[in-house]
Amino acid sequence: MGKVLVIGCGGVAGVAIQKCAQNDTVFNEICIASRTVSKCDALKAKIEAEGKSKSVITTRKVNADNVQELVALIRDVQPDVVLNLALPYQDLTIMDACLEAGVDYVDSANYEPEDTEDPEWRAIYERRCKELGFTAYFDYSWQWAYQERYKKAGITALLGTGFDPGVTSVFSAYALKHYFDEIHTIDILDCNGGDHGYPFATNFNPEINLREVSANGSYWEDGHWVETRPMEIKREYTFEGVGEKDMYLLHHEEIESLAKNIPGVKRIRFFMTFGQSYLTHMKCLENVGMLRTDPVMYEGKEIVPIQFLRALLPDPASLGPRTVGKTNIGCIFTGIKDGRERSLKIYNVCDHQECYREVGSQAISYTTGVPAMIGTMMVMSGLWKKPGVFNVEDFDPDPYMDALNKWGLPWVVDENPVLVP
Ligand code: NDP
């Protein structure tokens, strides 16, 4: 069918690219590009050595902070779609390049600046904090602002096709289409019951992960944001396949898009499970300044503490062989159908070791990389293609839900779920 250019070759991209290669009747050609071309070459060699895929794989070097470098690469490679699996810092430069080159764009996380002390960005951010009422560094306004330009150029941007955001947003669209006339509440529950045996490690990019988890929490209620202190709201929940876990309310990006796209929704919350050891380590690192994102001088050289910490922590890609247990991620909905109240849970259970056997990664990269491939397939096949900038819940969820079952993330519908107080 076509050619995809994937920017990034880290934990998530590693899975997405292997799934594209499995799906070789759709992804005839795959070009992998990042700053470290040797990593892209190693992945290409791994897939080719397995000898199962007919996809033609090439690799390129690119610095995705540089729009003109990206435009030159896109013009040369001529992909049908660019799949951005670099970091949220590169979202806008890659969107700019796709606009200039006239190619569809797909990603898995919304824009966040690398330097949150940049005065120009900070002025806009502080205004937004006051206007919208949440203080997270990331929000959709930057990417939604491309709507008219993408429309005019006749190209599609599909935002946030990972698991959360991504699958959780598609679950919401599916629940609304098939089970509810009105959805009143959505609780998104992200449980990782995996154990990697390290005292402290993050399951995806540590810088992005620690920034997210150490920030204030927030939820959407009755048309506005309610902000909480970090980890202020705690609940216990028993997850199928995992057992009972403590979970904490976090701010999360799909709350913002679902509040806009699910008509009449009254409350949306996001909870993630954490063990006490993870929280104690994180608090300590934060207290000593290791989560700072601004440069500090050390022996005559500028270093960014959170980036230095990243160099010390285990590479998330290396957790695969040692992580055992399961993830359980999904959504609980309440609302009305045919005049009667109802509740519903849709979720997926994923086993870390099964993921490792299939693609050499743990389940966090797997549960993000598979939906990244599926979203790209939706755009490339034309099923989810219209000019403009869209979140995944803007499209018909059915083909995506079918693809989840087919490509490794089967889901379960529970019509009598335990609700979260
Ligand atoms: P990694 O840190 O493992 O990988 C990031 C990749 O981006 C690396 O291959 C790196 O390669 C590349 N990269 C970074 N900067 C640049 C640049 N300037 N130019 C070109 N390439 C660059 O991250 P993950 O794989 O863990 O995460 C990838 C994305 O997935 C992130 O945006 C993350 O937020 C998102 N995510 C989404 C989830 C969801 O459920 N929606 C869940 C988990 C993650 P190199 O250094 O060689 O350039």
Side-chain angles (χ1 to χ4, degrees):
M1 189 183 286
K3 186 193 277 189
V4 61
L5 167 61
V6 184
I7 312 288
C9 187
V12 173
V15 175
I17 291 161
Q18 290 181 75
K19 296 304 276 193
C20 288
Q22 286 179 13
N23 193 0
D24 53 7
T25 53
V26 169
F27 297 97
N28 306 138
E29 292 181 56
I30 304 165
C31 179
I32 316 168
S34 83
R35 291 168 305 183
T36 324
V37 80
S38 56
K39 281 197 207 157
C40 310
D41 288 337
L43 181 59
K44 168 180 152 74
K46 174 180 189 279
I47 296 168
E48 288 177 349
E50 283 164 2
K52 292 185 200 145
S53 174
K54 292 196 184 68
S55 304
V56 176
I57 303 174
T58 53
T59 62
R60 298 290 290 268
K61 181 177 164 69
V62 75
N63 179 357
D65 293 321
N66 183 321
V67 177
Q68 286 318 311
E69 218 179 284
L70 282 164
V71 172
L73 175 71
I74 296 170
R75 292 214 165 113
D76 194 30
V77 172
Q78 300 205 343
D80 298 287
V81 183
V82 173
L83 170 58
N84 166 19
L85 294 176
L87 298 177
Y89 313 147
Q90 281 82 43
D91 284 6
L92 302 187
T93 47
I94 301 176
M95 283 187 85
D96 283 336
C98 284
L99 195 56
E100 197 169 328
V103 177
D104 295 334
Y105 168 91
V106 176
D107 72 24
S108 75
N110 70 7
Y111 173 67
E112 174 171 352
E114 184 158 15
D115 176 11
T116 52
E117 299 302 316
D118 172 40
E120 207 179 310
W121 175 85
R122 195 99 209 158
I124 299 170
Y125 163 76
E126 277 165 12
R127 201 171 56 231
R128 190 218 73 201
C129 290
K130 279 202 201 101
E131 281 170 10
L132 296 187
F134 67 90
T135 53
Y137 288 144
F138 50 89
D139 74 83
Y140 275 115
S141 63
W142 300 88
Q143 292 178 275
W144 285 343
Y146 284 73
Q147 172 71 309
E148 284 311 313
R149 281 172 286 164
Y150 266 60
K151 226 182 204 170
K152 217 164 147 201
I155 56 174
T156 303
L158 178 68
L159 308 183
T161 179
F163 206 105
D164 41 341
V167 176
T168 50
S169 325
V170 175
F171 283 171
S172 303
Y174 186 79
L176 186 60
K177 181 173 175 183
H178 296 285
Y179 290 94
F180 289 93
D181 296 326
E182 283 171 35
I183 290 181
H184 292 162
T185 69
I186 306 176
D187 278 335
I188 302 162
L189 271 46
D190 180 329
C191 164
N192 180 8
D195 180 7
H196 45 59
Y198 286 117
F200 185 75
T202 63
N203 290 294
F204 68 98
N205 184 288
E207 197 178 325
I208 305 295
N209 181 242
L210 290 168
R211 272 190 184 200
E212 174 178 284
V213 174
S214 58
N216 284 335
S218 71
Y219 59 97
W220 177 260
E221 193 168 50
D222 297 330
H224 61 90
W225 291 92
V226 181
E227 190 150 65
T228 67
R229 290 190 310 279
M231 307 295 162
E232 184 184 331
I233 298 185
K234 176 184 167 189
R235 298 281 186 271
E236 282 156 20
Y237 197 84
T238 302
F239 292 89
E240 186 64 36
V242 176
E244 191 179 271
K245 288 274 171 191
D246 292 340
M247 60 184 193
Y248 297 83
L249 185 139
L250 299 185
H251 176 83
H252 222 246
E253 66 188 68
E254 66 267 51
I255 301 177
E256 195 186 357
S257 72
L258 290 171
K260 177 170 160 256
N261 292 327
I262 302 291
V265 67
K266 293 183 170 60
R267 190 187 69 200
I268 312 173
R269 301 182 297 185
F270 180 98
F271 292 92
M272 191 177 271
T273 61
F274 296 101
Q276 198 47 53
S277 166
Y278 180 97
L279 295 177
T280 308
H281 276 83
M282 192 183 73
K283 195 76 216 155
C284 172
L285 291 167
E286 187 180 19
N287 286 345
V288 298
M290 282 302 288
L291 301 191
R292 280 176 63 174
T293 58
D294 55 318
V296 294
M297 289 304 286
Y298 178 71
E299 294 192 342
K301 196 175 176 311
E302 266 193 356
I303 59 162
V304 177
I306 199 164
Q307 289 175 358
F308 178 63
L309 174 65
R310 183 188 173 184
L312 301 178
L313 289 175
D315 178 357
S318 71
L319 300 179
R322 24 188 317 148
T323 308
V324 293
K326 292 180 167 61
T327 61
N328 179 324
I329 319 175
C331 306
I332 302 173
F333 306 96
T334 65
I336 303 280
K337 179 74 178 172
D338 299 331
R340 297 171 68 174
E341 286 189 9
R342 82 176 305 175
S343 58
L344 187 87
K345 184 173 186 204
I346 311 180
Y347 64 95
N348 160 265
V349 176
C350 192
D351 184 280
H352 284 284
Q353 280 299 301
E354 276 176 26
C355 298
Y356 183 68
R357 279 192 291 277
E358 184 191 327
V359 293
S361 298
Q362 31 79 7
I364 302 301
S365 301
Y366 191 90
T367 52
T368 311
V370 172
M373 179 281 281
I374 292 174
T376 311
M377 172 170 69
M378 292 294 126
V379 174
M380 190 132 94
S381 64
L383 280 169
W384 281 17
K385 196 168 156 59
K386 51 184 179 183
V389 177
F390 302 98
N391 294 88
V392 290
E393 68 271 19
D394 284 309
F395 292 94
D396 178 10
D398 292 359
Y400 194 108
M401 293 292 276
D402 290 344
L404 287 170
N405 281 333
K406 179 169 177 195
W407 291 102
L409 295 175
W411 40 273
V412 178
V413 174
D414 175 355
E415 298 203 34
N416 190 20
V418 175
L419 303 183
V420 180

